[in-house]
Amino acid sequence: MAPLQSSQPWVEKYRPKQVKDVAHQDEVVRVLTNTLETTNCPHMLFYGPPGTGKTTTALAIAHQLYGPELYKSRVLELNASDDRGINVVRTKIKNFAAVAVGSARHGGYPCPPYKIIILDEADSMTEDAQNALRRTMETYSKVTRFFFICNYISRIIEPLASRCAKFRFKPLTEEIMNNRILYICNEEGINLDSEALTTLSSISQGDLRRAITYLQGAARLFGSSISSKDLISVSGVIPDDVVDALVSACKSGNFDMADKEVKNVIAEGYPASQMLSQLYDIIVESDDISDNQKARICKKFAEADKCLIDGADEYLQLLDASGNIIRAISNMP
Amino acid sequence: MLWVDKYRPKTLDKVLIHEEIAQNLKKLVTEQDCPHLLFYGPSGSGKKTLIMALLRQIFGASADKVKVENKNWKVDAGTRTIDVELTTMSSTHHVELSPSDAGFQDRYVVQEIIKEMAKNRPIDTKGKKGFKVLVLNEVDKLSREAQHSLRRTMEKYSSSCRLILCCNSSSKVTEAIRSRCLNMRINAPTEGEIAKVLEFIGKKEGLQLPSGFSDRIAQQSNRSLRRAILSFETCRVQQYPFTINQAIPPMDWEEYVSEIASSIFKEQSPKRLFEVRGKLYELLINCIPPEIILKRLLSELLKKLDMELKHEISHWAAYYEHRLRLGQKAIFHLEAFVAKFMSIYKGFLIETFG
C-alpha cells in the first residue's frame, strides 16, 4: 500500500459513488434515479440520524448529474465548518444562485440547466440565515436547486421545510452494516471474527460512518486481526464491568463505595458524558427499579449532562448523579 | 534537575507504565504515517511524556532541540485586524502551543498557525514531502467556535500536517473532532505502578527504601505520578536515610483547605464565614484553581459527615461548581457553597441534638 493512500480515511475511500449503491434508503434512491432520467428535481431536504448516507447521497447525485468536469462550477457545497452567517447567505449563496447556466449535454452526463447548492448540517445554521434563504430559494428556483442535509428536522424553520421534498433516512439495519463492514475488511485484508462484528455494530448504533472509523482506528493501532476488546478501546466506550461496578455500588446504598468507584472512573480517564449515557441504558432497562425511581434518576442525568456541556467538573457531576441514584433506589427524599 | 524531568522516559521503549500503548504507538508510526491523535486522561498520567517520546520516535533526536518563541499574529477578520500574541515551543519538526491561552480569540490562532505551517512544508532526505506535527494542549478549554473551525482545517491540511491534541476530559471535545482522531485514553497509573516507578528511581539514585515507603507515597498521590515523584523528592530532601514512619508532607494548600474544613465544622456563623472568606481569598491569590479548591474542600468535608448529609452536600458542590464555571468571580460561588454547607449542617445539628 502506498503511504499516501493509507492516510485517506476509509470513510471517504468507501463512500458510494453512485446513488444506486446507497444501501437501505429505497424511496430516496427511487426518486433520485428518476431524477437522473428526467433531469427534473425539486428542492430536497434529507434528514435522519448520523451515518445513514445523507451526504453521500447528495454528493453522489451531484456527481452523476454533472460529471467531474462541470462539478466544480455547478455545485456549491457548504457545511457547518464554513462560515455560514447571514452575510454568506446574502452574498456568496445569492451570487452563486443567480448565475444562469445552459443545458448542453457534456460527456455523457445529463447536466440539467440548474445548479445545486448543498447545505450540509443545515440545522446548525442560525434562524436569521435560514430566513434570508427563503426568498433566494424562490427567486432563483429556475436555475438553482437546494439540498438541505440535517439531523433534526425540527431545527429547520417551517417555511424552508415546506419548500422542499422531505426524505427521512432510516437507521441502517445490523445486517446491512455487517455486509458493508465485511466488504471493507475483505478489501483491506482485515480479520474480524463474529464476536468483534457484533460488538462493532452495537457500539456504533446504526451509524455506519462511526463503525468504519472505529474499524480503521483499530486496524491502524492493532494490525490486521482485530478482536472486540480492541474495538472497545478505540471507540472510547466504557467496558461493561466498569459501568456495572458503579451501578452495583450505587445499588448497595453506600455513598462511600460509590464515591470510590466514581474516583476510579475519573482516574481511568473515561469521559463522564459517556458514562452517563451508558448508565442511562442500564438504568432504563433494569427490572428491579420502579418507573418512578427511573424517572427521578433520568431527570438528574439530564441535568448533569447539561452541566457537563457547560463545562462543569466531571467528578462532581458524576458523584452528584450517582448520589441521586442511591437516593432514588433507597427511596430517600 | 528535578527528578520528574530527569526520569521522564525519553523513548517509547523506555516507558515503565502504559507499555502497551507505547508499543502500539510505535507500531503506528513505523508502519505508515500517523493519523491525527487525541490523547486524553487525568493529569499526571503521562500524556505529555508519551507525546514527546512519540515525536522523538518519528523525527529522531532533532525533536529535542526546542526553542521558545513569543509569536505575534495579525489576523484579518473581515472588517478589522486582530493582534494575537502567544507563546509557542517549536523545533524544526513540530510546534507546540496552548491555544486556549488566547482566550476568546483562540479560533484565529488555530486557523492561522495551521495555515502557516502548511505553507512551508519540510522536505525529507529522500526528497519526499514530509509533514509537520502540531501539538495542541488543553483542547478541552477551546471555545466551541475554535473547535468547529479546527475540524475543517484538520481535513483541509491533513496532507501537510498532523495534529496531536491533548486534553483532560474528552467529553468537552466535540464529537466531530473526536471522530476525526485516533483516540488514546491514557489512564492514571495504579498505586502499584506508581510504587514500581518510585522504586526504580530510588534504585537509580542509590537510595535505601524502607519497605512499604513507596506504597505510602503512592497512596497519597491521588494516582498522579508527577505528584508522587515530587513528594518523593521532597521526602529525600527533608530526611535521609528514610525511616519507616517518616511523615510524607502534604501539599501546603491541601493542608490549608483541611484547616478551612475543620474550622467550618467547629462553628457555623456569619463571623466564621467571614474568616473563611479571607482564607479562600488567600488560596485564590496563590493561583490555586477554584474548582480544585472546591473539590478538595468537598472531600475534606465528606470525611467527617454523616451518611445522610453526604448526598446533599455533594449535590450542592456540583451545583456551585457548575455556577462557578458559568460565572466570573470564583469567590462568590466558593463562599456560597460554604454558606450553604453551614446552614445545612447547623440545621442538621439542631434537629438531632435540639
Side-chain angles (χ1 to χ4, degrees):
Chain A
M1 222 188 303
L4 259 182
Q5 199 92 61
S6 68
S7 67
Q8 189 188 19
W10 292 355
V11 182
E12 295 298 331
K13 197 170 169 190
Y14 294 100
R15 203 187 268 283
K17 300 280 182 302
Q18 298 199 317
V19 174
K20 65 175 167 41
D21 294 338
V22 175
H24 197 57
Q25 317 292 355
D26 303 325
E27 301 152 26
V28 191
V29 171
R30 206 163 51 231
V31 171
L32 287 178
T33 17
N34 222 344
T35 304
L36 277 178
E37 281 156 20
T38 60
T39 72
N40 193 10
C41 148
H43 296 303
M44 300 262 205
L45 173 60
F46 296 158
Y47 65 102
T52 47
K54 300 181 294 296
T55 313
T56 305
T57 317
L59 290 179
I61 185 78
H63 274 288
Q64 276 183 287
L65 279 175
Y66 299 112
E69 250 175 73
L70 276 178
Y71 181 81
K72 276 207 171 131
S73 61
R74 294 286 182 92
V75 179
L76 178 67
E77 201 193 327
L78 290 172
N79 64 23
S81 40
D82 301 308
D83 192 12
R84 250 188 345 191
I86 189 157
N87 269 337
V88 174
V89 172
R90 282 194 184 136
T91 56
K92 200 172 171 188
I93 296 185
K94 211 166 166 184
N95 288 345
F96 185 81
V99 179
V101 287
S103 66
R105 281 184 84 87
H106 206 284
Y109 291 99
C111 294
Y114 48 76
K115 300 170 300 313
I116 289 180
I117 296 181
I118 300 175
L119 291 169
D120 207 342
E121 291 148 55
D123 37 7
S124 70
M125 283 172 82
T126 58
E127 200 159 305
D128 288 344
Q130 293 189 34
N131 271 319
L133 266 181
R134 283 160 65 168
R135 195 63 195 142
T136 315
M137 273 176 81
E138 279 178 349
T139 326
Y140 304 110
S141 63
K142 267 197 178 141
V143 285
T144 310
R145 296 288 181 275
F146 282 87
F147 281 33
F148 294 97
I149 301 173
C150 64
N151 292 130
Y152 306 102
I153 194 172
S154 50
R155 302 251 178 92
I156 303 289
I157 58 167
E158 182 53 34
L160 277 192
S162 68
R163 284 175 172 79
C164 301
K166 294 192 257 311
F167 294 102
R168 195 177 93 84
F169 279 64
K170 293 169 288 216
L172 301 176
T173 59
E174 203 174 321
E175 194 192 337
I176 288 174
M177 263 182 56
N178 287 354
N179 278 343
R180 195 70 192 162
I181 293 289
L182 285 178
Y183 168 77
I184 292 175
C185 289
N186 215 0
E187 292 280 304
E188 297 286 337
I190 288 172
N191 248 327
L192 200 67
D193 55 30
S194 62
E195 189 202 342
L197 195 61
T198 2
T199 319
L200 188 58
S201 61
S202 78
I203 55 178
S204 55
Q205 295 167 341
D207 181 345
L208 187 56
R209 176 177 45 206
R210 213 190 303 179
I212 297 176
T213 317
Y214 290 160
L215 188 68
Q216 188 175 18
R220 274 183 151 156
L221 214 47
F222 301 105
S224 59
S225 83
I226 297 168
S227 71
S228 74
K229 203 175 134 244
D230 300 340
L231 285 170
I232 285 180
S233 80
V234 168
S235 67
V237 172
I238 302 169
D240 284 339
D241 49 328
V242 179
V243 188
D244 287 339
L246 183 57
V247 171
S248 55
C250 287
K251 279 187 178 160
S252 74
N254 187 332
F255 186 82
D256 291 333
M257 256 168 79
D259 184 25
K260 205 176 126 234
E261 284 302 330
V262 170
K263 275 203 180 109
N264 183 36
V265 169
I266 300 295
E268 288 291 321
Y270 295 115
S273 52
Q274 177 70 30
M275 191 68 192
L276 280 183
S277 70
Q278 280 184 260
L279 273 178
Y280 166 78
D281 286 342
I282 292 189
I283 296 285
V284 167
E285 277 166 25
S286 71
D287 299 322
D288 51 350
I289 302 176
S290 75
D291 285 355
N292 239 335
Q293 290 168 332
K294 279 182 192 171
R296 211 176 132 185
I297 295 171
C298 292
K299 184 166 168 254
K300 185 68 224 174
F301 280 0
E303 282 169 15
D305 191 54
K306 158 81 175 116
C307 291
L308 281 176
I309 287 179
D310 285 341
D313 187 78
E314 296 196 313
Y315 165 71
L316 290 174
Q317 292 300 331
L318 201 53
L319 186 66
D320 186 18
S322 28
N324 203 279
I325 299 176
I326 298 177
R327 269 188 288 172
I329 287 179
S330 51
N331 283 323
M332 273 156 66
Chain B
M1 205 193 231
L2 285 176
W3 289 355
V4 181
D5 296 318
K6 195 170 167 190
Y7 293 102
R8 190 186 290 274
K10 292 281 183 293
T11 60
L12 286 174
D13 292 317
K14 279 193 189 145
V15 296
L16 286 172
I17 45 178
H18 305 305
E19 271 164 358
E20 204 178 324
I21 295 175
Q23 285 315 311
N24 283 333
L25 282 175
K26 197 177 165 193
K27 213 159 48 184
L28 193 71
V29 291
T30 42
E31 268 177 16
Q32 41 188 259
D33 67 346
C34 70
H36 299 305
L37 293 169
L38 170 68
F39 287 81
Y40 64 97
S43 60
S45 57
K47 300 182 290 294
K48 236 4 187 329
T49 310
L50 279 172
I51 292 176
M52 289 319 289
L54 181 70
L55 287 176
R56 218 162 281 127
Q57 179 79 38
I58 303 175
F59 299 118
S62 57
D64 281 336
K65 295 197 187 88
V66 181
K67 60 173 187 230
V68 179
E69 253 180 306
N70 227 338
K71 276 200 184 176
N72 259 312
W73 284 283
K74 277 209 184 331
V75 189
D76 186 31
T79 49
R80 67 218 151 99
T81 49
I82 298 169
D83 285 308
V84 188
E85 200 183 316
L86 208 66
T87 317
T88 61
M89 306 216 308
S90 57
S91 74
T92 40
H93 299 290
H94 85 282
V95 179
E96 183 184 336
L97 72 164
S98 322
S100 54
D101 289 350
F104 61 97
Q105 288 166 336
D106 49 4
R107 179 157 72 110
Y108 304 111
V109 176
V110 169
Q111 286 173 338
E112 278 305 300
I113 191 161
I114 298 181
K115 262 187 223 158
E116 192 183 297
M117 279 174 60
K119 263 184 220 152
N120 37 27
R121 257 173 104 170
I123 293 176
D124 70 359
T125 42
K126 288 171 209 134
K128 265 194 315 187
K129 279 186 175 171
F131 57 88
K132 270 193 157 187
V133 172
L134 176 62
V135 183
L136 295 181
N137 290 322
E138 300 177 342
V139 206
D140 44 353
K141 294 209 182 105
L142 280 181
S143 65
R144 210 130 271 250
E145 292 82 49
Q147 293 195 21
H148 274 302
S149 60
L150 190 59
R151 71 180 194 186
R152 185 72 194 131
T153 352
M154 268 166 99
E155 281 176 348
K156 228 169 164 177
Y157 298 107
S158 68
S159 55
S160 57
C161 88
R162 291 284 172 280
L163 291 180
I164 297 183
L165 311 174
C166 180
C167 67
N168 280 134
S169 72
S170 75
S171 40
K172 283 176 207 157
V173 181
T174 57
E175 176 64 41
I177 291 185
R178 264 186 284 160
S179 71
R180 281 172 177 76
C181 300
L182 190 53
N183 294 5
M184 311 290 300
R185 180 174 61 85
I186 314 293
N187 60 322
T190 60
E191 283 170 13
E193 281 168 334
I194 291 180
K196 206 175 79 187
V197 174
L198 292 181
E199 266 155 32
F200 169 79
I201 293 177
K203 210 162 84 188
K204 284 266 173 172
E205 287 283 319
L207 302 176
Q208 291 288 326
L209 282 177
S211 66
F213 186 66
S214 55
D215 292 329
R216 275 203 302 141
I217 296 182
Q219 272 164 22
Q220 283 216 357
S221 65
N222 273 340
R223 293 180 70 178
S224 161
L225 186 57
R226 179 174 339 130
R227 215 181 130 178
I229 298 177
L230 280 176
S231 59
F232 183 43
E233 196 171 358
T234 323
C235 289
R236 164 78 178 79
V237 175
Q238 269 184 347
Q239 188 187 0
Y240 186 78
F242 299 123
T243 51
I244 289 197
N245 299 324
Q246 183 173 349
I248 295 155
M251 301 272 201
D252 289 344
W253 67 272
E254 288 187 350
E255 222 164 349
Y256 206 68
V257 173
S258 34
E259 263 172 45
I260 295 178
S262 54
S263 77
I264 295 173
F265 270 115
K266 269 185 213 132
E267 188 187 325
Q268 297 85 35
S269 64
K271 195 170 143 254
R272 185 49 62 92
L273 185 59
F274 182 71
E275 286 168 32
V276 169
R277 179 195 301 165
K279 287 180 182 168
L280 289 176
Y281 255 128
E282 188 98 333
L283 284 172
L284 287 175
I285 286 167
N286 284 309
C287 288
I288 311 285
E291 61 271 13
I292 299 211
I293 300 177
L294 188 66
K295 266 200 306 200
R296 185 73 203 175
L297 189 59
L298 174 72
S299 73
E300 289 293 334
L301 292 175
L302 284 182
K303 273 185 206 160
K304 295 177 197 158
L305 268 185
D306 271 44
M307 215 48 158
E308 308 147 45
L309 285 183
K310 280 186 182 174
H311 299 287
E312 205 171 344
I313 298 304
S314 64
H315 166 72
W316 287 113
Y319 178 82
Y320 285 112
E321 199 275 336
H322 175 223
R323 292 196 146 195
L324 189 148
R325 201 60 70 124
L326 297 179
Q328 287 280 341
K329 287 264 182 231
I331 186 74
F332 292 160
H333 306 282
L334 290 178
E335 205 180 330
F337 173 66
V338 174
K340 187 84 198 170
F341 175 79
M342 282 182 172
S343 99
I344 291 173
Y345 193 64
K346 190 92 177 175
F348 173 74
L349 286 183
I350 291 174
E351 204 174 290
T352 33
F353 302 114

